Amino acid sequence: MKIHPLALLISLTAGAMALLAFAPFGYWPLQIFSLAILFYLVLRTQSVRKSALIGWVYGFGWSMVSVHWLYVSMHRHGGLPAWMAVIALILMALVLGSFAAFAMGSSTWLRQRLSASALVGALLICPAFWALFEWLRGWIFTGLPWGATGYAHVASPLAGFAPIIGVYGISWLAALAAGCVAFLPFRQTSGRLFSLFIITLIFTTGFLLKGIAWTAPHKLPIQVRLLQTNVPQEAKFAPSKIATMLKLNHDMIMSEKADLIATPETAIPLFAQQLPASYLDDLKAFSRKTNSHQLIGIPLYDGPRTYSNSVIGIAPSSGQLYRYDKHHLVPFGEFVPPGSRWFINMMRIPLGDFTAGARVQSPFAVKDQWVLPNICYEDIFGEEIADQIAASLYASTPQATILLNLSNIAWFGDTIALPQHLQISQMRALETGRPMLRSTNTGMTAIINPQGVVVAQLPPYTRASLSATVQGYQGATPYIRFGNKLILALASTSLLLAWLLARRARRRNLWH
């Protein structure tokens, strides 16, 4: 198999260029142009292996720039030698890039089997396989959907589709637009006009959909205060700093009342049994005195080798603590994949083998609102959050009206991981039609409205509280009801239509 090195270089550059479409840069048209370059290169070749290699190089370039911040967590905070952290990052990018390889290889294989035209390949086959393999990357081996195509479009007209088909649906539409652009250099006037029509239709529809309110305000708003503690990662679990961490959180929580006060993930770095005797009692007394509700990030110990990354809730009128346990754990950081204990032992990760919580858990009552927490990495799995809300549609349980993400991504330093994570939370707000609150250690602490717009935010790497009035919303978007089933159906229908068109073309050739 021979392939021109220039094609691989162009593919690699196009993949890396896609980074500029995401936060903090936000040049979303570049994402479509980047993908159009990939599709054009693939449509120009008839070799499955060449297409797969072009896709792999593209996916490798995309993945390397998208998750390069993992180097900081592995080397600076995890203690891995620099060379080993670089190798681990390259291997991860190669694995993630393989999904693009399979998508493009599958596209060329199907085009060959169907003898499909370039137009069918550009508009039906390549976009469908791109969306399907992005969805597959989001769940296989517990999933790593960070950097999915759709996240680049939280502020583009395609955001209007989020409450219907979610982030992977937007990935498919962006890929469809890219396929239209990729077809323009081909010398088929009618096909070019049809491609331009499809692009116009997609973006016009998305713009109009933005005006639809899928959810409605629920009762009275609440006053919230979100803490940003700004604790360096190296100090967070240091024994000599524990007393300082406890006092910091104690003082920030009790500095001012609010209907809801939320801390970052594992803000309290000890098990509840290890806290000073009066610590939680003081917080409960403050809650009763000020009529404040608190959601506090803390690890919880349930027995030997059984502990969870959790949130406890303190309500003014209840002696019982609310509890939410993180259920989607980070491989290598929060649980040990089979055969990787040797790698985990090389990194200085405290509490690195958590027990997962239940997939569906109840929200926390704050006056008229119901607040549903999720912890850090969990909010990159949109269908799981939608499932939690959907569970209340079919059972006599409260429906979450506000989402709350508690995060600590000081692990990744002052990198683009912070604005990228904020962008992911914006997509969750769009998909569910609910506000998303974010209380983080080093940033981005923010309030996002149901339209996915950041309406208030603290500067990163500052110690402060973000106070605001937040209105909860109720109701169910199509995405809450159906999750990713709609985009899977659309992508499958696209491939079926490609087969039908190819079959029709073959029949015509038989008659002429």
mmCIF file of all heavy atoms in Angstrom, residues 366-384:
data_model
loop_
_atom_site.group_PDB
_atom_site.id
_atom_site.type_symbol
_atom_site.label_atom_id
_atom_site.label_comp_id
_atom_site.label_asym_id
_atom_site.label_seq_id
_atom_site.Cartn_x
_atom_site.Cartn_y
_atom_site.Cartn_z
ATOM 1 N N VAL A 366 -34.063 21.836 47.169
ATOM 2 C CA VAL A 366 -33.665 23.163 47.644
ATOM 3 C C VAL A 366 -34.860 24.087 47.423
ATOM 4 O O VAL A 366 -35.099 24.573 46.317
ATOM 5 C CB VAL A 366 -32.428 23.700 46.901
ATOM 6 C CG1 VAL A 366 -32.037 25.068 47.449
ATOM 7 C CG2 VAL A 366 -31.266 22.732 47.005
ATOM 8 N N LYS A 367 -35.651 24.265 48.492
ATOM 9 C CA LYS A 367 -36.895 25.047 48.404
ATOM 10 C C LYS A 367 -37.773 24.480 47.290
ATOM 11 O O LYS A 367 -38.130 23.307 47.314
ATOM 12 C CB LYS A 367 -36.580 26.533 48.241
ATOM 13 C CG LYS A 367 -35.937 27.134 49.489
ATOM 14 C CD LYS A 367 -35.896 28.644 49.440
ATOM 15 C CE LYS A 367 -35.453 29.211 50.796
ATOM 16 N NZ LYS A 367 -35.401 30.691 50.787
ATOM 17 N N ASP A 368 -38.114 25.305 46.278
ATOM 18 C CA ASP A 368 -38.998 24.828 45.218
ATOM 19 C C ASP A 368 -38.267 24.059 44.124
ATOM 20 O O ASP A 368 -38.912 23.570 43.186
ATOM 21 C CB ASP A 368 -39.713 26.027 44.565
ATOM 22 C CG ASP A 368 -40.761 26.637 45.470
ATOM 23 O OD1 ASP A 368 -41.282 25.918 46.340
ATOM 24 O OD2 ASP A 368 -41.051 27.837 45.308
ATOM 25 N N GLN A 369 -36.941 23.980 44.195
ATOM 26 C CA GLN A 369 -36.172 23.382 43.112
ATOM 27 C C GLN A 369 -35.580 22.032 43.531
ATOM 28 O O GLN A 369 -35.425 21.746 44.720
ATOM 29 C CB GLN A 369 -35.051 24.336 42.674
ATOM 30 C CG GLN A 369 -35.517 25.721 42.270
ATOM 31 C CD GLN A 369 -36.513 25.697 41.123
ATOM 32 O OE1 GLN A 369 -36.456 24.840 40.243
ATOM 33 N NE2 GLN A 369 -37.459 26.644 41.132
ATOM 34 N N TRP A 370 -35.252 21.236 42.498
ATOM 35 C CA TRP A 370 -34.597 19.945 42.706
ATOM 36 C C TRP A 370 -33.273 19.959 41.948
ATOM 37 O O TRP A 370 -33.249 20.084 40.729
ATOM 38 C CB TRP A 370 -35.489 18.811 42.218
ATOM 39 C CG TRP A 370 -36.704 18.629 43.077
ATOM 40 C CD1 TRP A 370 -37.921 19.229 42.921
ATOM 41 C CD2 TRP A 370 -36.802 17.813 44.243
ATOM 42 N NE1 TRP A 370 -38.786 18.835 43.916
ATOM 43 C CE2 TRP A 370 -38.136 17.954 44.744
ATOM 44 C CE3 TRP A 370 -35.924 16.969 44.918
ATOM 45 C CZ2 TRP A 370 -38.578 17.285 45.884
ATOM 46 C CZ3 TRP A 370 -36.372 16.307 46.046
ATOM 47 C CH2 TRP A 370 -37.678 16.454 46.527
ATOM 48 N N VAL A 371 -32.183 19.852 42.708
ATOM 49 C CA VAL A 371 -30.837 19.993 42.152
ATOM 50 C C VAL A 371 -30.219 18.606 41.991
ATOM 51 O O VAL A 371 -30.109 17.840 42.961
ATOM 52 C CB VAL A 371 -29.955 20.869 43.060
ATOM 53 C CG1 VAL A 371 -28.554 21.014 42.466
ATOM 54 C CG2 VAL A 371 -30.598 22.240 43.263
ATOM 55 N N LEU A 372 -29.793 18.295 40.767
ATOM 56 C CA LEU A 372 -29.184 16.996 40.481
ATOM 57 C C LEU A 372 -27.680 17.166 40.290
ATOM 58 O O LEU A 372 -27.243 17.778 39.316
ATOM 59 C CB LEU A 372 -29.794 16.388 39.221
ATOM 60 C CG LEU A 372 -29.238 15.017 38.813
ATOM 61 C CD1 LEU A 372 -29.550 13.959 39.872
ATOM 62 C CD2 LEU A 372 -29.795 14.597 37.456
ATOM 63 N N PRO A 373 -26.869 16.646 41.218
ATOM 64 C CA PRO A 373 -25.418 16.786 41.068
ATOM 65 C C PRO A 373 -24.853 15.817 40.024
ATOM 66 O O PRO A 373 -25.437 14.764 39.733
ATOM 67 C CB PRO A 373 -24.869 16.430 42.462
ATOM 68 C CG PRO A 373 -26.054 16.333 43.363
ATOM 69 C CD PRO A 373 -27.219 16.009 42.489
ATOM 70 N N ASN A 374 -23.717 16.180 39.468
ATOM 71 C CA ASN A 374 -22.847 15.249 38.754
ATOM 72 C C ASN A 374 -21.428 15.675 39.060
ATOM 73 O O ASN A 374 -21.172 16.853 39.354
ATOM 74 C CB ASN A 374 -23.150 15.217 37.249
ATOM 75 C CG ASN A 374 -23.013 16.572 36.598
ATOM 76 O OD1 ASN A 374 -21.932 17.002 36.217
ATOM 77 N ND2 ASN A 374 -24.138 17.290 36.468
ATOM 78 N N ILE A 375 -20.511 14.741 39.049
ATOM 79 C CA ILE A 375 -19.164 15.015 39.533
ATOM 80 C C ILE A 375 -18.160 14.955 38.394
ATOM 81 O O ILE A 375 -17.980 13.911 37.756
ATOM 82 C CB ILE A 375 -18.776 14.026 40.657
ATOM 83 C CG1 ILE A 375 -19.759 14.142 41.834
ATOM 84 C CG2 ILE A 375 -17.355 14.281 41.139
ATOM 85 C CD1 ILE A 375 -19.515 13.149 42.952
ATOM 86 N N CYS A 376 -17.548 16.087 38.119
ATOM 87 C CA CYS A 376 -16.431 16.249 37.183
ATOM 88 C C CYS A 376 -16.687 15.578 35.843
ATOM 89 O O CYS A 376 -17.502 16.022 35.046
ATOM 90 C CB CYS A 376 -15.145 15.741 37.836
ATOM 91 S SG CYS A 376 -13.644 16.322 36.988
ATOM 92 N N TYR A 377 -16.007 14.473 35.608
ATOM 93 C CA TYR A 377 -15.993 13.728 34.349
ATOM 94 C C TYR A 377 -17.376 13.251 33.919
ATOM 95 O O TYR A 377 -17.607 12.990 32.735
ATOM 96 C CB TYR A 377 -15.050 12.556 34.590
ATOM 97 C CG TYR A 377 -14.794 11.547 33.523
ATOM 98 C CD1 TYR A 377 -13.967 11.843 32.435
ATOM 99 C CD2 TYR A 377 -15.301 10.258 33.627
ATOM 100 C CE1 TYR A 377 -13.677 10.879 31.491
ATOM 101 C CE2 TYR A 377 -15.010 9.289 32.694
ATOM 102 C CZ TYR A 377 -14.205 9.605 31.619
ATOM 103 O OH TYR A 377 -13.901 8.645 30.687
ATOM 104 N N GLU A 378 -18.320 13.156 34.861
ATOM 105 C CA GLU A 378 -19.633 12.607 34.530
ATOM 106 C C GLU A 378 -20.397 13.459 33.533
ATOM 107 O O GLU A 378 -21.235 12.934 32.789
ATOM 108 C CB GLU A 378 -20.477 12.446 35.796
ATOM 109 C CG GLU A 378 -20.074 11.278 36.667
ATOM 110 C CD GLU A 378 -21.028 11.079 37.827
ATOM 111 O OE1 GLU A 378 -21.354 12.071 38.512
ATOM 112 O OE2 GLU A 378 -21.438 9.927 38.049
ATOM 113 N N ASP A 379 -20.140 14.750 33.503
ATOM 114 C CA ASP A 379 -20.971 15.568 32.629
ATOM 115 C C ASP A 379 -20.527 15.528 31.170
ATOM 116 O O ASP A 379 -21.101 16.219 30.329
ATOM 117 C CB ASP A 379 -21.092 17.014 33.147
ATOM 118 C CG ASP A 379 -19.887 17.879 32.843
ATOM 119 O OD1 ASP A 379 -18.798 17.324 32.626
ATOM 120 O OD2 ASP A 379 -20.040 19.109 32.841
ATOM 121 N N ILE A 380 -19.537 14.683 30.844
ATOM 122 C CA ILE A 380 -19.242 14.476 29.424
ATOM 123 C C ILE A 380 -20.070 13.327 28.846
ATOM 124 O O ILE A 380 -19.945 13.011 27.668
ATOM 125 C CB ILE A 380 -17.733 14.250 29.151
ATOM 126 C CG1 ILE A 380 -17.249 12.912 29.709
ATOM 127 C CG2 ILE A 380 -16.906 15.373 29.709
ATOM 128 C CD1 ILE A 380 -15.813 12.609 29.305
ATOM 129 N N PHE A 381 -20.929 12.737 29.675
ATOM 130 C CA PHE A 381 -21.790 11.646 29.221
ATOM 131 C C PHE A 381 -23.246 12.130 29.259
ATOM 132 O O PHE A 381 -23.966 11.931 30.225
ATOM 133 C CB PHE A 381 -21.585 10.409 30.095
ATOM 134 C CG PHE A 381 -20.174 9.884 30.048
ATOM 135 C CD1 PHE A 381 -19.251 10.256 31.016
ATOM 136 C CD2 PHE A 381 -19.760 9.062 29.012
ATOM 137 C CE1 PHE A 381 -17.943 9.800 30.961
ATOM 138 C CE2 PHE A 381 -18.453 8.608 28.947
ATOM 139 C CZ PHE A 381 -17.542 8.978 29.919
ATOM 140 N N GLY A 382 -23.644 12.786 28.178
ATOM 141 C CA GLY A 382 -24.937 13.451 28.139
ATOM 142 C C GLY A 382 -26.113 12.513 28.309
ATOM 143 O O GLY A 382 -27.101 12.851 28.966
ATOM 144 N N GLU A 383 -26.044 11.325 27.695
ATOM 145 C CA GLU A 383 -27.183 10.419 27.785
ATOM 146 C C GLU A 383 -27.396 9.940 29.216
ATOM 147 O O GLU A 383 -28.535 9.715 29.635
ATOM 148 C CB GLU A 383 -26.984 9.218 26.860
ATOM 149 C CG GLU A 383 -28.223 8.354 26.758
ATOM 150 C CD GLU A 383 -28.121 7.300 25.678
ATOM 151 O OE1 GLU A 383 -27.000 6.848 25.387
ATOM 152 O OE2 GLU A 383 -29.163 6.913 25.129
ATOM 153 N N GLU A 384 -26.318 9.817 29.988
ATOM 154 C CA GLU A 384 -26.472 9.360 31.366
ATOM 155 C C GLU A 384 -27.180 10.416 32.220
ATOM 156 O O GLU A 384 -28.004 10.082 33.086
ATOM 157 C CB GLU A 384 -25.111 9.002 31.950
ATOM 158 C CG GLU A 384 -24.480 7.795 31.259
ATOM 159 C CD GLU A 384 -23.135 7.415 31.840
ATOM 160 O OE1 GLU A 384 -22.728 8.027 32.848
ATOM 161 O OE2 GLU A 384 -22.494 6.498 31.296
#
